Amino acid sequence: MTPTLCRSALGAVCLMPLLLHAAGPQPDLTALPLEQLMSLEVVTASRFPQRVSEAPGTVTVITSDDIRVYGYRTLADALRSVPGLHVSYDRNYSYIGVRGLATTGDYNSRVLLLIDGVRANDNIYDQASLGSDFPIDLDLVERIEFAHGPGSSVYGGNALFGVINVITRSGADLAGGEATVGAGSGRALQGRASWGRRFDNGTEILVSASGLRSRGGDLTYPELAPLGVAGGVVRGLDYDRNRQFLAQFAHGSWGLQLVHAERTKGIPTAAFDTAPGAAGNFTKDSNSSVALRYDGPLRGDTDLAARAYYGRYRYSGDYVYDVPPLVINRDLADGRWWGVEARVVSSAWQGHKIVAGAEYQSDTRKEQANFDVNPRAVYLQDRRRGERFGVFAQDETMLRRDLRLNAGVRYDHVDGGRGIFNPRAALIYTPAPRTSFKLIHGRAYRAPNAYELFYAAPGPGGQKGNPELRPERIRTTELALEYFTFAGWRLAGSVFQHQVRDQIAAIIDPGDGLQVFRNGGSVRSSGATAEVEHLWSSGAKLRASYSHQRALDGAGNWAVNSPRHLLKLNAAVPLGAGLRAGMELQHTSVRRSLAGEVPAFTLANFNLLVPLGVRGDELSFALYNVFDKRYADPGGPEHLQDRIPQDGRTVFGRLRIRF
Amino acid sequence: MRAAAAALTALVLALGGPAALGQPVQEYELKTAFLYNFALLTDWPRAASVPQDPEFRICVIGRNPFGNSLAHLQGKPVHGRRIALRDIESPSAARECQILFIASSGAGPLNEIIDSLGDSSVLTVTESRNDRATGAVITMLTQEKRVTFAVHLGAARRAKLHISPRLLRVAARVAED
């Protein structure tokens, strides 16, 4: 204790460290290199705050500053900048591909989406909503973490290709009111009003409401011309509207989060053989959730995190068929679930960091229906319940001063099926403070979902259920290197191999012509990623990555929707007077589509931030696809279009004010 | 053999084993280590210090939250000098400091303290729960069990301080203002 420092300080403040010290000696942290002190703590990879360099796996972090400076408007936009990821859009939903693994006609059921650590995939399609249907406004996101590779050893089902954890801002982050208005191409209008603060007693509150309304541009589909659409041009069908509400309360170790969002999207592509050019094709997705959380110490060296949650997902799709006359076929899904989970993080045993937990989820409703509205004809009415249960444990232990082993396993039991074990082990070698090598091997799975098991609609082009489906599994091996140069450059690289077994995929049963999901063969992907990142003293930053990936389908052919090369460049530069510019370049190589190929393309995006005044008011102006590049994504089996053309150059301007 | 194991254990502990293992550390132990790194990774203009001055002064104004954590730094070498710790009462004494930590309570209005420093080469450090600009060169942020920091380059320029890219590389936010 330094007397000089305590002479003027209050006695109690000087006594406290003494009491704290009685619990055990504190290590001298000043002996550690800055990077080790500083490397971001990550909640995703092992479910406890952990530094990126220690996470068993490669984690990419997108910060709220990245979201602002690069002008990301959807979670899908932000994920496009992650090494090895590519996102396709069919003008209804956004679909993520990871390290060359992507399936057409799957609703992102192979990535786990977490919002503040709570599962956000629904319980019918296991869908991860990444586009305008993602329930949280990106302005309210503090960071997005993408943990590459299998996460089932901690998180359970659906964490096959990776885990997306979206961490929201708190009331203290907001510290006042904030409002935005924006407008852009496709007659898009967007607005948000938020307010948050931390009160003197420690209570934090955040409330926010946002909305988007976009007419969408006119689109040309030559495939529709022979079907009676003049010139193949569809007008006013690409509309997109959403509403998002978020409320958060926190006090001490407790937190409560309420989310409600709904999104209505027109379907311009005449998907599922609907009447081409008809105005009544749309989907409406609603997500609502309540989560109560507790994060606090059990004892000095053991923390408890507990969650109780309720979730509801509703989907309604109107599909207009020219029978004739025009008939509206309505497709409905209603999923409801609640769950509890608890985990402890303990360092009570010297040299070990143990995480153990259990989770129970009750699917109180998994309902699917399909019927013609008028004349009414019911084709499907299927309502089920279900439950899932999982327990897991993970230990990180130091084998040598420079060598650590992180090993864990989770056991899951879903809806009376057979139990399934998913282990993961990582060996982390740190020969020098700024260098780490990680060798990771892990398995992950997903259980077949209600849609794949039970959806059935008779007749031509229909579908039938398959209750015999088995879980789909993946096995991944990865070697990753991370190195910080003395000047602060981060260099990272990895080589990986993924092998999917019993892949659940849709085929047409030759016996009756109906679509059915079956466990297929083995899909493999292997490749390598290299990444470089730097931040200059001027405030400029740069992140660049290249991924080479080779994915083969069950028959040993080049997999559909799997680019071999992905090149990404993100740069932000200060322009003086507080102005900042963010630029992105993204190259996606040629991909196989269901019937042919879609060509390679390079996109450039540009965003300018203009500060107004001192309160943090800001004007932003974004140009997406600056060079108006014509490009397309492969269409899924429900589309007539083998290639789905994407937007040319679009603009979006926005004003943010704080009060 | 047992002696070798004991020696290995001691080595592991001595080399910062517990921290590397991720045991929770006290907030102000960590903030102390950050202060030390800020000292190492900032360059002060030569004119700002008398060359013979053997002391590198880290001062705290307001209600000192560090307890005895800061004592780790006493006498440590920085830029060829030895760290000396000072509790100061009034901002007028702060011009003698290389680093001024402005406590969140008991220090008086933050902007007045910073204004009173004028363009003296003092690395001002404060702490906050949100990343709104504080006027200080470095703001340490505690959020969600993490301690990060934001650097304000405009404030650094006014104080004629050069912040190492290595420090900026790991900052949660680098602001131009």
Side-chain angles (χ1 to χ4, degrees), chain A residues 83-99:
Chain A
L85 264 55
H86 70 283
V87 179
S88 319
Y89 179 54
D90 69 355
R91 303 219 162 260
N92 194 354
Y93 298 106
S94 294
Y95 308 87
I96 189 176
V98 183
R99 289 174 169 173

Side-chain angles (χ1 to χ4, degrees), chain A residues 43-48 50 54-59 147-155 159 162-163 355 392-396 405-410 421-427 439-444 476 478:
Chain A
V43 244
T44 303
S46 282
R47 261 198 178 187
F48 47 85
Q50 198 181 29
E54 282 191 343
T58 309
V59 181
H148 294 264
S152 290
S153 68
V154 175
Y155 295 104
V163 179
V355 193
F392 71 94
Q394 174 177 290
D395 182 26
E396 184 165 305
L405 176 69
N406 181 308
V409 65
R410 175 164 165 143
F421 283 96
N422 288 284
R424 178 176 66 188
L427 204 56
L439 178 65
I440 307 136
H441 180 81
R443 295 185 191 190
T476 298
E478 180 176 353

Side-chain angles (χ1 to χ4, degrees), chain A residues 28-100:
Chain A
D28 182 9
L29 299 175
T30 59
L32 300 179
L34 177 67
E35 281 77 11
Q36 199 170 344
L37 289 175
M38 199 43 243
S39 292
L40 293 164
E41 292 183 316
V42 176
V43 244
T44 303
S46 282
R47 261 198 178 187
F48 47 85
Q50 198 181 29
R51 298 182 280 263
V52 167
S53 59
E54 282 191 343
T58 309
V59 181
T60 302
V61 180
I62 297 164
T63 63
S64 57
D65 185 65
D66 292 331
I67 292 170
R68 249 175 75 221
V69 78
Y70 298 120
Y72 298 138
R73 294 184 56 210
T74 64
L75 182 56
D77 289 342
L79 292 171
R80 280 178 221 273
S81 71
V82 175
L85 264 55
H86 70 283
V87 179
S88 319
Y89 179 54
D90 69 355
R91 303 219 162 260
N92 194 354
Y93 298 106
S94 294
Y95 308 87
I96 189 176
V98 183
R99 289 174 169 173

